[in-house]
Amino acid sequence: MNNRYFVVIAAVFILSACTTGKLFYIDRAGNRTLGCEVEFVGMPSVDKFAVEYALSHCAKRAVEAGHRLEQEQKYLLELDTSIPPAPCGKAWDHELAEGEFDSGNLSKKEYGYIVAHIDMGLAVVNECSSG
């Protein structure tokens, strides 16, 4: 009986560490369509920003394609999703971002945005100018 209790507690903990989000848009025919569904697992206080970043990116792409957003998701178009550049000669990866966050160089929001940026395959080497 005790083992079952710990399994239930562990399952609740694992499930609570998952942050998800969905973006729906209205297509040109007027149909409500699921545009994106995202999930981040780790630190919920950071993952909520990763979800926000991914959904904002998706929302902007949907509008560029001529679709309309539902009213409650239009705020995603106004978000400033800029992220700090990676150090010169490097691209953001999870190890670098985590190190910068742990050192206090990134806020939770910046770290979450960078995590999503990496996971979405958008990270590129920061080619700093030499002059």
Side-chain angles (χ1 to χ4, degrees):
M1 188 88 169
N2 278 342
N3 287 338
R4 186 175 292 162
Y5 175 74
F6 288 114
V7 169
V8 170
I9 295 297
V12 168
F13 178 74
I14 289 168
L15 291 174
S16 68
C18 177
T19 307
T20 63
K22 294 180 181 181
L23 177 94
F24 290 92
Y25 63 81
I26 309 302
D27 66 20
R28 293 177 187 197
N31 300 312
R32 184 177 190 253
T33 304
L34 176 62
C36 298
E37 185 170 9
V38 296
E39 175 180 277
F40 290 90
V41 178
M43 297 180 355
S45 64
V46 170
D47 293 342
K48 68 181 181 181
F49 294 114
V51 168
E52 179 180 86
Y53 181 94
L55 292 180
S56 178
H57 186 78
C58 182
K60 291 169 185 173
R61 283 192 333 236
V63 169
E64 287 170 5
H67 305 301
R68 290 182 295 117
L69 295 185
E70 295 181 328
Q71 187 62 38
E72 61 272 7
Q73 293 189 312
K74 286 185 178 181
Y75 77 95
L76 293 166
L77 299 172
E78 304 302 321
L79 293 177
D80 176 5
T81 56
S82 60
I83 58 171
C88 292
K90 295 186 179 186
W92 283 117
D93 62 29
H94 289 291
E95 185 178 327
L96 176 59
E98 182 178 8
E100 290 296 304
F101 177 70
D102 290 344
S103 296
N105 297 327
L106 297 174
S107 68
K108 288 180 180 181
K109 183 176 184 175
E110 290 170 326
Y111 183 38
Y113 279 16
I114 291 169
V115 166
H117 186 78
I118 295 164
D119 288 357
M120 294 169 65
L122 302 173
V124 296
V125 173
N126 181 12
E127 301 289 347
C128 300
S129 62
S130 59

